[in-house]
Amino acid sequence: MGASLSWFAVRAKAPEAVLQDFGLKNVGNEYRETPFCGGKLPSGWFLVIHGRHEFTNDEVRRLSRGCEVIACFVEEHVMVSRTAGWRDGEQVWSVTHDAQEGDGHLDIQGEPPAGFAAIRDRLTRQQEKDNGADFIFSIPVDLAKEITGYSHEDRQQIAFDNLVKPTFFQRLFER
């Protein structure tokens, strides 16, 4: 079974402000059935993972006001991946692979960070050697990992907290 999620790495914004932007509450290690989790990465970025969700530009625009955000979407069932860099409410760049558009599909908007070309070249060569495997899918994912140190495929020893979105009544009666 493949991954289906978005994650947001945020730099230069307090974790409490990030959670507030999402309308989330940190419940620590307490088990909850929730599509959200997150925590501080060793690289200094604050991470929020949202399972079974494709991020929207409006969502990242709001989140990135006053800070920098790397947003990554992965849908392995149909081999779609997307990473975008945002700063102060504006998208700076994005890299998207959609296998439904073709094995070599790669849509690039703006100017991706310096490490992009090396990642693209390495994975393109790897795909050419191994007919049938979709290595282009990994270009956006590997780029996000190079920037933030995080990949959904390589969770290391990161302790994530459970995050919940309180209901209207929970927000009304909790202080």
Side-chain angles (χ1 to χ4, degrees):
M1 188 162 166
S4 175
L5 57 91
S6 285
W7 59 261
F8 309 84
V10 182
R11 183 164 58 184
K13 184 180 265 191
E16 297 78 21
V18 173
L19 296 180
Q20 184 176 5
D21 285 349
F22 277 111
L24 296 172
K25 178 181 175 185
N26 187 336
V27 293
N29 293 326
E30 176 186 333
Y31 176 77
R32 298 280 183 101
E33 186 67 35
T34 177
F36 301 98
C37 66
K40 186 132 182 165
L41 297 174
S43 62
W45 294 80
F46 183 76
L47 183 75
V48 173
I49 301 169
H50 188 175
R52 299 194 177 278
H53 174 75
E54 181 175 0
F55 71 82
T56 66
N57 286 346
D58 286 342
E59 185 175 41
V60 188
R61 181 176 294 110
R62 184 178 60 253
L63 179 62
S64 70
R65 288 191 178 117
C67 66
E68 183 179 3
V69 174
I70 301 299
C72 184
F73 168 67
V74 174
E75 180 57 76
E76 291 179 346
H77 304 91
V78 292
M79 300 304 285
V80 174
S81 60
R82 176 177 165 213
T83 293
W86 287 73
R87 187 176 298 115
D88 292 321
E90 299 292 327
Q91 182 175 297
V92 179
W93 57 268
S94 71
V95 177
T96 303
H97 171 68
D98 184 348
Q100 297 166 96
E101 299 290 327
D103 291 343
H105 175 264
L106 196 63
D107 180 47
I108 303 160
Q109 295 181 9
E111 189 170 323
F116 167 73
I119 292 168
R120 179 199 58 212
D121 294 349
R122 174 178 52 84
L123 291 169
T124 299
R125 281 192 305 275
Q126 198 168 355
Q127 181 157 318
E128 290 168 353
K129 288 181 189 175
D130 188 357
N131 277 342
D134 186 357
F135 289 99
I136 305 304
F137 172 85
S138 295
I139 293 172
V141 176
D142 286 8
L143 180 58
K145 181 180 180 181
E146 180 170 295
I147 298 166
T148 66
Y150 177 78
S151 170
H152 72 286
E153 299 172 322
D154 179 26
R155 297 208 17 192
Q156 307 134 6
Q157 296 298 324
I158 302 168
F160 291 123
D161 289 332
N162 290 314
L163 309 172
V164 296
K165 192 172 279 252
T167 66
F168 170 76
F169 289 108
Q170 287 171 329
R171 288 190 313 271
L172 186 64
F173 294 111
E174 277 188 348
R175 292 217 165 229

